[in-house]
């Protein structure tokens, strides 16, 4: 058996009645999880799924999701996460690009590729031994943003996932068992792997649902109720949770984007055990790590076991500062069906054994005097925004598909994506139809032409700030209360009825605070998606009023 499956079998034998996974509605012991995953694996095998196949998983957040992912591994196949919240166009592309043989889902979606079958998460199939495979067989394929306008699949093999867990154990990050880990990350992102797969080493996995992930107070209360010991979050998410977490006996795994210096100091001085983790999807989640302790500023630490780090200058010579290259047995084999892009990013490694490769991260780093790596910036147009890896070129390519749009540019300002377009009326609808929520720009600005520097490059400094609507004052108690909430969380003196939340500086994590306040004041099931769908204050007020009377 490949990868982590032998460790899962050991965990079942050691403590069959221990809780393996739970959500707000249900819990499964290790024995029950073993039975459920074996049954679903049997159903998948009955539909022809086997070693080397790829199986899509499109389920909401809950115990069924863990069952599905583990069941796919027991067939010898690789799972492909297909978040039901993503636009249908994007899901159709990923499912087709990955050539999934089956889809684990509670429904039959319209984007299902021809020839693929749907298997329910509670399906029961003939019992059989786990399919024996190689550590080099793919365990999953996760899609990341692509600079050419379409996402790219990154496979990781079973041996790499098992080596990741072993490396984190070796670094002392899982010391003190038993652990109870919160699964906080989206299954579509690689950070989810080192969260849900902890069940294979005998840890309890607590699946955070969308309701708790959007309500900081409810989230922290539930973590306490479940006895969570380990929480993985992004620095941006910390800002929404910090006041609730600072006095908690937790181990924090922080990653996904650079840590600001004030946050670093705060964590170093707190009672929390905090770890900073860095790594691109191509290196199987985490490549470097460090404990956040003592004096000094932010850094990304040293390579974990199974990873070698090289800092090279433009001539590919070792240097104190330059581009970070990663190599070692945990590297991905490349991009699914993209040999050209694979050759561009995975280049020969002269420092390793014959035939080995190193991955060009595009991250600019430097070696500190203490022998740790410090992140200093990007060498391309990839950005990390609230933990999401985003290629601005992909968003621009989608916007150019909007009716009448002749040119488009996207930049990051104040932690927001701002889109500028030439021609077209409003490309937002096209963006929402083709891009996941975290890639839809917060504001759209129509220009006669894109400003250029003398050498023809986009002059980002000359791009105007989005205008706020202003206009009439809020009218009625609902509009007025929402305006007060916006003014408080955005740090503004006043907000108009026609103002746009995102144009005023809002983003998804600020929206968390807005939603929590609205739930408390109105007692309605408002969500961050509602803020995205109704960014104009007057429109959001109408929606909240409708929820209150429904």
């Amino acid at each position: 058996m490949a990868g982590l499956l032998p460790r899962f079998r050991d965990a079942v034998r050691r403590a069959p009645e221990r809780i393996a996974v739970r959500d707000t509605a249900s819990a499964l012991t290790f024995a029950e999880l073993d039975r459920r995953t074996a049954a679903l694996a049997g159903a998948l095998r009955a539909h022809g799924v086997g070693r080397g196949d790829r199986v899509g998983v499109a389920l909401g957040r809950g115990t069924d999701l863990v069952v599905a992912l583990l069941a796919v591994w027991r067939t010898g196949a690789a799972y492909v996460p297909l978040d039901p919240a993503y636009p249908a166009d994007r899901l159709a592309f990923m499912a087709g690009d990955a050539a999934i043989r089956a889809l684990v889902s509670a429904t039959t979606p319209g984007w299902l590729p021809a020839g693929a079958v749907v298997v329910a998460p509670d399906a029961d199939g003939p019992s059989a031994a786990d399919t024996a495979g190689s550590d080099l067989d793919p365990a999953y394929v996760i899609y990341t943003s692509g600079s050419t306008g379409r996402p790219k699949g990154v496979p990781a093999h079973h041996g790499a996932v098992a080596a990741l867990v072993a490396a984190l154990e070796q670094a002392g990050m899982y010391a003190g068992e038993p652990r109870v880990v919160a699964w906080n990350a989206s299954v579509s992102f690689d950070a989810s792997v080192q969260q849900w797969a902890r069940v294979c080493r005998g840890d309890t996995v607590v699946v955070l649902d969308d309701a708790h992930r959007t309500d900081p107070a409810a989230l922290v209360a539930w973590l306490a109720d479940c006895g969570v010991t380990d929480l993985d979050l992004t620095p941006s998410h910390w800002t929404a949770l910090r006041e609730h977490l600072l006095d908690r006996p937790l181990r924090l795994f922080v990653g996904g984007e650079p840590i600001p210096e004030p946050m670093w100091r705060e964590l170093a001085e707190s009672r929390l055990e905090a770890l900073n983790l860095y790594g691109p999807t191509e290196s199987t989640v985490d490549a470097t790590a460090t404990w956040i302790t003592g004096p000094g500023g932010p850094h990304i630490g040293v390579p974990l076991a199974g990873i070698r780090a090289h800092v090279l200058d433009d001539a590919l010579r070792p240097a104190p500062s330059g581009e970070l290259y990663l190599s070692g047995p945990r590297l991905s084999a490349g991009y699914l069906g993209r040999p050209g892009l694979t050759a561009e990013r995975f280049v020969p490694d002269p420092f390793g054994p014959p035939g080995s490769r190193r991955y060009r991260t595009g991250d600019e780093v430097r070696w500190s005097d203490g022998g740790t790596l410090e992140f200093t910036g990007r060498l391309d147009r990839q950005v990390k925004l609230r933990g999401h890896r985003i290629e601005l070129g992909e968003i621009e390519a989608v916007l150019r598909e909007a009716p009448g749009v002749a040119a488009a540019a996207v930049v990051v300002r104040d932690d927001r994506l701002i889109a500028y377009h030439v021609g077209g009326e409003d490309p937002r609808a096209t963006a929402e139809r083709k891009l996941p929520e975290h890639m839809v720009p917060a504001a759209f600005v129509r220009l006669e032409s894109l400003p250029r520097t003398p050498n023809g490059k986009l002059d980002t400094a000359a791009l105007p700030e989005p205008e706020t609507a202003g206009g009439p004052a809020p009218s009625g108690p609902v509009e007025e209360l929402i305006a007060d909430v916006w003014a408080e969380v955005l740090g503004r003196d006043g907000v108009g009825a026609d103002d746009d939340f995102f144009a005023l500086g809002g983003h998804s994590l600020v929206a968390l605070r807005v939603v929590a306040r609205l739930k408390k004041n109105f007692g309605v099931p408002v969500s961050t998606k509602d803020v995205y769908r109704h960014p104009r204050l007057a429109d959001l007020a109408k929606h909240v009023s409708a929820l209150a009377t429904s």
Side-chain angles (χ1 to χ4, degrees):
M1 255 183 287
L4 291 174
L5 285 177
R7 297 194 63 176
F8 174 69
R9 300 296 299 156
D10 289 342
V12 174
R13 283 192 291 267
R14 287 197 314 270
E17 298 310 311
R18 175 174 162 79
I19 296 298
V21 57
R22 65 181 299 182
D23 58 25
T24 53
S26 62
L28 298 175
T29 65
F30 275 92
E32 291 167 335
L33 181 61
D34 184 34
R35 289 192 292 269
R36 287 277 311 275
T37 55
L40 180 54
L44 289 167
R45 289 191 197 97
H47 285 287
V49 173
R51 181 181 174 187
D53 288 329
R54 290 183 284 272
V55 175
V57 176
L59 295 170
R61 299 180 63 85
T63 56
D64 280 353
L65 187 52
V66 178
V67 170
L69 301 180
L70 197 52
V72 172
W73 278 2
R74 297 183 74 162
T75 68
Y79 73 82
V80 182
L82 298 167
D83 190 335
Y86 278 14
D89 284 5
R90 195 174 189 84
L91 292 170
F93 171 80
M94 293 191 295
D97 188 67
I100 61 171
R101 186 179 184 92
L103 175 72
V104 181
S105 174
T107 61
T108 300
W111 46 261
L112 185 71
V117 298
V118 174
V119 179
D122 57 354
D124 193 350
S127 179
D130 293 339
T131 300
S134 163
D135 273 350
L136 296 180
D137 286 345
Y140 61 81
V141 178
I142 282 180
Y143 278 78
T144 69
S145 182
S147 59
T148 60
R150 57 180 179 141
K152 53 186 182 290
V154 183
H157 53 83
H158 280 283
V161 179
L164 167 69
V165 173
L168 294 173
E169 289 173 328
Q170 181 179 324
M173 297 182 182
Y174 298 156
E177 299 187 40
R179 310 298 297 178
V180 180
V181 57
W183 181 5
N184 182 38
S186 165
V187 70
S188 296
F189 297 97
D190 64 342
S192 67
V193 178
Q194 73 107 320
Q195 294 172 37
W196 83 262
R198 293 270 298 271
V199 74
C200 293
R201 65 182 299 277
D203 292 333
T204 296
V205 173
V206 175
V207 188
L208 303 183
D209 61 20
D210 290 330
H212 284 85
R213 292 169 80 213
T214 59
D215 188 333
L219 168 61
V220 174
W222 201 59
L223 294 180
D225 289 344
C226 296
V228 166
T229 61
D230 297 7
L231 174 63
D232 195 316
L233 45 66
T234 64
S236 298
H237 200 185
W238 167 256
T239 61
L241 295 175
R242 60 173 298 280
E243 64 183 286
H244 303 282
L245 295 180
L246 273 173
D247 62 345
R248 301 276 176 168
L250 278 175
R251 181 168 296 167
L252 291 186
F253 295 80
V254 186
E257 60 190 356
I259 297 180
E261 189 165 346
M263 176 181 169
W264 183 279
R265 290 197 305 269
E266 183 174 54
L267 289 175
E269 296 168 359
S270 74
R271 64 179 295 194
L272 298 164
E273 292 182 289
L275 307 105
N276 187 25
L277 298 169
Y278 159 87
T281 305
E282 290 82 351
S283 66
T284 313
V285 192
D286 299 318
T288 71
T290 184
W291 294 93
I292 303 174
T293 58
H299 60 91
I300 59 174
V302 296
L304 290 163
I307 292 291
R308 296 187 299 275
H310 314 275
V311 180
L312 307 178
D313 63 16
D314 291 341
L316 302 183
R317 297 171 301 198
S321 64
E323 183 172 4
L324 177 61
Y325 288 70
L326 300 174
S327 61
R330 283 210 276 119
L331 279 195
S332 170
Y335 300 112
L336 191 67
R338 308 282 287 277
L341 185 58
T342 297
E344 177 187 332
R345 304 301 298 187
F346 293 83
V347 298
D349 180 13
F351 305 106
S356 60
R357 300 162 305 128
R358 56 189 177 187
Y359 171 66
R360 297 179 55 196
T361 66
D363 286 329
E364 188 175 43
V365 299
R366 66 183 174 215
W367 290 108
S368 72
D369 293 338
T372 60
L373 289 164
E374 297 178 353
F375 175 82
T376 56
R378 283 293 299 182
L379 296 168
D380 56 20
R381 299 188 66 226
Q382 183 189 113
V383 299
K384 286 290 188 74
L385 198 60
R386 294 180 288 284
H388 300 296
R389 171 174 160 177
I390 299 171
E391 296 282 357
L392 298 179
E394 180 178 1
I395 305 174
E396 291 168 348
V398 168
L399 296 183
R400 288 194 293 269
E401 297 175 12
V405 173
V410 178
V411 300
V412 177
R413 285 187 172 170
D414 299 323
D415 290 331
R416 296 179 301 148
L417 293 169
I418 308 297
Y420 298 87
H421 59 99
V422 177
E425 290 304 317
D426 185 2
R428 182 186 291 273
T430 299
E432 291 177 342
R433 191 175 71 253
K434 292 180 173 292
L435 296 170
E437 184 179 276
H438 65 270
M439 292 180 67
V440 176
F444 292 79
V445 180
R446 192 177 190 276
L447 301 175
E448 292 301 316
S449 63
L450 295 179
R452 300 287 179 183
T453 63
N455 61 7
K457 293 184 178 181
L458 179 70
D459 187 354
T460 56
L463 291 169
E465 289 284 348
E467 294 182 0
T468 57
S475 175
V478 177
E479 285 191 9
E480 289 171 355
L481 193 148
I482 293 177
D484 289 342
V485 171
W486 283 18
E488 178 186 338
V489 300
L490 297 172
R492 302 185 69 89
D493 293 333
V495 177
D498 289 336
D499 275 331
D500 183 292
F501 177 74
F502 300 103
L504 293 176
H507 53 68
S508 60
L509 290 176
V510 178
L512 286 178
R513 298 171 60 193
V514 169
V515 165
R517 289 283 303 277
L518 296 184
K519 285 181 177 178
K520 179 179 179 179
N521 283 280
F522 294 108
V524 296
V526 66
S527 68
T528 54
K529 288 185 179 180
D530 293 324
V531 179
Y532 273 86
R533 290 169 180 155
H534 310 284
R536 180 172 165 268
L537 187 144
D539 294 335
L540 181 61
K542 289 178 182 177
H543 179 69
V544 170
S545 297
L547 289 174
T549 57
S550 62

